[in-house]
Amino acid sequence: MPRLNPDNIELAKEILGRYPRPKSALIPLLHLAQEQDGWVTDDAMEHLAELVGCTPAEVLGTCSFYEMFKREPVGPYLVNICHGISCHLLGADELLEHAEQSLGVKTGGTTADGKITLEEAECQAACTEAPCLQVNYRYRYKVANEAFDQLITDLRAGKLDDEIPPHGTLARRATRQHIPADRAAGPAAVDVNVEPVWLSRNADASEAKG
Amino acid sequence: MTITDAPKIVTGRLAAHDDAHTIARYEATDGYKGLRAALQRAPQSITDEVKAASLLGRGGAGFPAGVKWGFCPPGVFPRYLVVNGDESEPGTYKDRILMESDPHQLIEGILIACYAIGCSQAFLYCRGEMALAHERLGEALNEAYAAGYVGKNILGTDYSIDIVLHWGAGAYIVGEETALIESLEGNRGMPRLKPPFFPAAKGVYLQPTVVNNVETLANLPWLMQHGAEAFHALGAENSRGTRMFAVSGHVKKPGVYEVEFGVTTFRDLLYAPIYSGGIRGDRALKAFIPGGASAPLFYEEHLDLPLEAGVVGKAGSMLGSGAIVVMDETTDMVKATRNLVRFFARESCGKCTPCREGTTWLERILDRIIDGHGRPEDIDLLLDVCDNISPGLLWPPKQTTICPLGQSATPSIVGTIKRFPEEYERYVNAPFSTTVAINGAAYLSPPVAAATGGSAE
């Protein structure tokens, strides 16, 4: 089972460099591991423990707390049907039932072809668009049964792959934050008690070129 | 009706332009002018101005932002800003819009706040499930760094700060500020005990930390440009400026509306044609949630209350996170309640016993009532469990736990039992069901239990 590959180690080091303490990078790095493998493997967790300087058990402790981290393989398409209150009022239960029947799996299961994992999810903050769902955390609004079936057909045919990257990829690489070295202010060291220079400045801040 | 033409302080740009998320559009529409104005001023004067504007926090608790900033102990550095973008209260849909559609406005707000407070680093904690928001914020930050708005020597001044975009990973509790801080430190998102862990004194890495909601910070660019007086002129009582409300559920036009705070009424938002346009099919209103799943339900008689924090509080609920969920006369209130309670049961972090055990049992009891296995005494049992989580079932609720999650599960139960007792009674008095639903499939219940009318448990 894989550890982070060389490219991802580089990215991991960049992410680590933004935080005053390395363990703060743990959740972003777990996302990175999940992006690489589609789920979070034991080896990846051990590797992250080395990178952030804690025990693998602590990594597992964090990883297991958060819903989004999968510790066993899921399909490349994770379909999360919202069952928050607004979606509940507008047919989420019926949509979920339809999804279970049409996919032939229960909530939490993966289809026989291994492509689609179905889950019910807590409120996704699209309450005005109920009932809604997410595929790999990309939204689909006001989903009727027929629209759901079409979505599944399109996913299986790979028609939506430009819009919906495989499970694990939250933000595509080009859109990731990258702080250029010459622009970085740098992380604020915890144990250096220095007042920021601008704080005591008085009202005639003439150096502001604004 | 009190519909005003108050300016759209935080949604004006995104309502008018599809490309409001780009730096070009942002700069062309007064973008970063508030930051430029702020950098000409003494930091303390900005805090004073935010206090004078009485900008209340828009996350849920509604604490005045300027006062919160002032709680950082003097002489203790570094200070950090943590932006709470972990929007996940059921019914709430506003911060995501601001992050996806106008990210530079939020970035500018963060820069103004950090300048005023004297923060040395900012962490923008965005809910994990919001992939588009991650992409838009990431791109916007990259643009803003390249243009000299963020990072070292901002706009050529001595003001330097990094904004680090941090992704969450799916946990409602992380919206609680001390849990947010735990999560930001790489740990399980479990709340810390206050005191001693008030974030302003002991937050991230036990340093002074201000935690502000996305919408709160998004107000700052406008506030810097137009001044506290213009902001304070909007709204009423203690609720000043404008506020975003998401109206969802059984209305004709669900939507997110930015309205004048403290003046506009629930009736306006629910029935006015420019807002939600009334209940679907012109049915009767049965109940509505005024401020997210944690807020006690309101009914017909509350429609004319203004959206004012104090007034709504006195009436026995809260504006919370600005989430209004409307239920028409066809709603099964027991099932709606189960839905709300299940959320809290699943999202309980497990740290405190009353919440971990209480919410779980509430869900199980409601499950069996709905599945046809309820007993008449279950209704009192529900109230008893609620009382154990929040003694006295008061408003504002008493807390037996470190954070308010557990008690948030109780108002919907208490409210619906009081208001709609017949709906619960119909479930528990129904003839004993011969089938039970398990994960949606029907199973025969044990014949001996069915024959005696006893419990299957």
Side-chain angles (χ1 to χ4, degrees):
Chain A
M1 278 294 143
R3 294 157 61 90
L4 292 187
N5 64 36
D7 281 354
N8 284 335
I9 291 175
E10 282 310 303
L11 184 50
K13 284 182 178 159
E14 186 191 328
I15 294 169
L16 277 161
R18 295 174 196 158
Y19 294 93
R21 288 192 178 156
K23 202 184 172 195
S24 280
L26 184 51
I27 290 174
L29 295 189
L30 282 162
H31 278 301
L32 184 61
Q34 183 152 276
E35 178 177 320
Q36 177 182 293
D37 301 321
W39 58 291
V40 184
T41 67
D42 287 353
D43 282 0
M45 281 193 275
E46 284 191 28
H47 194 180
L48 296 191
E50 292 165 24
L51 287 170
V52 306
C54 67
T55 66
E58 285 175 284
V59 176
L60 174 62
T62 297
C63 181
S64 60
F65 187 82
Y66 297 92
E67 185 62 41
M68 289 173 75
F69 296 133
K70 308 300 176 196
R71 282 174 296 127
E72 50 192 61
V74 295
Y77 306 108
L78 176 68
V79 176
N80 280 321
I81 294 182
C82 180
H83 68 187
I85 181 68
S86 307
C87 289
H88 164 82
L89 291 171
L90 291 167
D93 293 355
E94 292 75 12
L95 178 61
L96 184 64
E97 199 180 319
H98 171 77
E100 287 185 335
Q101 279 172 5
S102 92
L103 293 174
V105 293
K106 289 287 171 200
T107 303
T110 300
T111 52
D113 64 357
K115 287 256 172 105
I116 290 158
T117 300
L118 179 69
E119 286 187 352
E120 49 180 355
E122 302 305 342
C123 183
Q124 295 173 342
C127 310
T128 61
E129 314 298 329
C132 71
L133 61 78
Q134 289 183 324
V135 184
N136 297 346
Y137 307 105
R138 265 78 182 169
Y139 287 93
R140 283 293 181 278
Y141 293 153
K142 295 181 177 161
V143 183
N145 289 354
E146 306 73 47
F148 179 85
D149 294 340
Q150 185 62 49
L151 171 69
I152 297 301
T153 306
D154 291 348
L155 285 173
R156 283 191 162 131
K159 280 189 192 166
L160 301 173
D161 288 357
D162 287 343
E163 182 197 346
I164 301 176
H167 177 253
T169 302
L170 278 182
R172 285 159 285 200
R173 285 293 157 107
T175 67
R176 264 185 180 267
Q177 181 177 19
H178 171 71
I179 303 177
D182 62 330
R183 291 286 314 129
V190 176
D191 46 5
V192 183
N193 187 357
V194 179
E195 185 177 84
V197 284
W198 70 86
L199 196 56
S200 51
R201 189 189 333 146
N202 60 27
D204 59 322
S206 52
E207 66 271 36
K209 288 173 188 164
Chain B
M1 294 241 168
T2 322
I3 294 167
T4 66
D5 55 358
K8 306 271 182 277
I9 292 179
V10 291
T11 61
R13 187 177 298 102
L14 66 91
H17 304 284
D18 287 340
D19 60 350
H21 60 280
T22 62
I23 196 165
R25 174 62 65 193
Y26 193 66
E27 286 178 323
T29 49
D30 293 339
Y32 291 108
K33 277 194 187 165
L35 173 67
R36 289 176 197 273
L39 292 179
Q40 308 284 339
R41 303 172 48 172
Q44 182 59 45
S45 78
I46 296 169
T47 303
D48 293 343
E49 182 135 16
V50 172
K51 270 186 203 165
S54 40
L55 169 62
L56 300 187
R58 304 297 200 231
F63 196 80
V67 178
K68 199 177 202 180
W69 296 359
F71 284 158
C72 289
V76 185
F77 299 94
R79 295 171 178 170
Y80 298 100
L81 179 82
V82 179
V83 184
N84 190 343
D86 193 60
E87 174 174 70
S88 29
E89 173 87 9
T92 311
Y93 174 26
K94 61 182 187 70
D95 296 340
R96 180 164 78 86
I97 297 177
L98 296 176
M99 291 191 285
E100 287 178 354
S101 302
D102 200 347
H104 285 284
Q105 177 176 253
L106 173 60
I107 291 168
E108 188 179 355
I110 295 169
L111 293 168
I112 294 166
C114 288
Y115 177 79
I117 303 164
C119 294
S120 304
Q121 195 170 2
F123 300 99
L124 203 183
Y125 193 112
C126 178
R127 181 174 171 190
E129 290 93 333
M130 298 175 176
L132 181 61
H134 298 313
E135 296 195 335
R136 289 277 175 82
L137 287 167
E139 286 179 312
L141 281 167
N142 291 344
E143 289 173 328
Y145 267 95
Y149 294 117
V150 193
K152 204 193 293 180
N153 299 122
I154 292 167
L155 294 173
T157 67
D158 58 1
Y159 173 41
S160 300
I161 193 159
D162 274 344
I163 300 175
V164 174
L165 175 59
H166 188 95
W167 299 348
Y172 165 71
I173 185 58
V174 167
E176 196 278 337
E177 58 183 5
T178 61
L180 186 68
I181 287 166
E182 278 290 319
S183 183
L184 188 57
E185 292 186 5
N187 302 325
R188 295 168 78 84
M190 291 175 156
R192 295 173 174 174
L193 196 60
K194 300 191 270 190
F197 298 108
F198 286 111
K202 295 202 177 302
V204 184
Y205 316 122
L206 302 185
Q207 290 295 122
T209 302
V210 171
V211 183
N212 276 156
N213 167 261
V214 167
E215 188 190 346
T216 315
L217 292 165
N219 274 282
L220 297 178
W222 191 93
L223 184 51
M224 278 300 107
Q225 283 182 66
H226 297 85
E229 214 170 298
F231 190 90
H232 197 269
L234 300 167
E237 306 286 332
N238 294 317
S239 302
R240 297 292 171 174
T242 62
R243 230 192 124 165
M244 291 171 80
F245 290 94
V247 188
S248 63
H250 297 152
V251 286
K252 287 179 187 166
K253 265 174 47 192
V256 182
Y257 304 104
E258 182 179 352
V259 302
E260 187 168 352
F261 200 9
V263 178
T264 313
T265 66
F266 288 106
R267 189 182 298 281
D268 298 333
L269 261 186
L270 268 51
Y271 288 93
I274 63 159
Y275 299 134
S276 304
I279 313 294
R280 63 167 185 181
D282 292 319
R283 295 199 181 96
L285 173 73
K286 191 165 191 179
F288 64 98
I289 301 173
S294 306
L297 290 162
F298 268 177
Y299 310 99
E300 180 81 30
E301 63 268 27
H302 299 104
L303 277 174
D304 291 311
L305 292 178
L307 296 155
E308 202 282 317
V311 172
V312 171
K314 281 194 200 99
S317 191
M318 62 175 180
L319 288 177
S321 54
I324 300 175
V325 184
V326 179
M327 304 175 194
D328 73 13
E329 57 190 323
T330 66
T331 309
D332 181 328
M333 295 310 289
V334 184
K335 283 187 174 164
T337 301
R338 194 252 308 255
N339 179 281
L340 294 168
V341 170
R342 179 179 63 184
F343 172 78
F344 293 107
R346 294 193 181 177
E347 294 299 323
S348 174
C349 80
K351 190 168 186 172
C352 309
T353 311
C355 170
R356 182 188 63 241
E357 298 299 319
T359 56
T360 309
W361 276 107
L362 289 173
E363 185 195 358
R364 289 188 204 174
I365 297 164
L366 283 163
D367 277 349
R368 79 168 171 231
I369 289 175
I370 289 167
D371 286 346
H373 292 262
R375 302 170 291 210
E377 60 268 32
D378 277 349
I379 299 171
D380 282 339
L381 183 59
L382 284 171
L383 293 173
D384 189 40
V385 176
C386 288
D387 187 71
N388 276 314
I389 299 172
S390 181
L393 305 174
L394 308 168
W395 188 262
K398 282 196 174 164
Q399 195 164 317
T400 54
T401 46
I402 289 173
C403 90
L405 188 145
Q407 74 208 30
S408 299
T410 63
S412 59
I413 296 181
V414 177
T416 51
I417 288 179
K418 217 179 268 177
R419 181 87 174 197
F420 309 103
E422 70 285 356
E423 295 201 25
Y424 285 87
E425 284 154 15
R426 201 180 307 138
Y427 271 108
V428 296
N429 295 333
F432 191 83
S433 167
T434 53
T435 60
V436 283
I438 298 172
N439 291 335
Y443 294 88
L444 284 177
S445 56
V448 66
T452 59
S455 168
E457 307 226 341

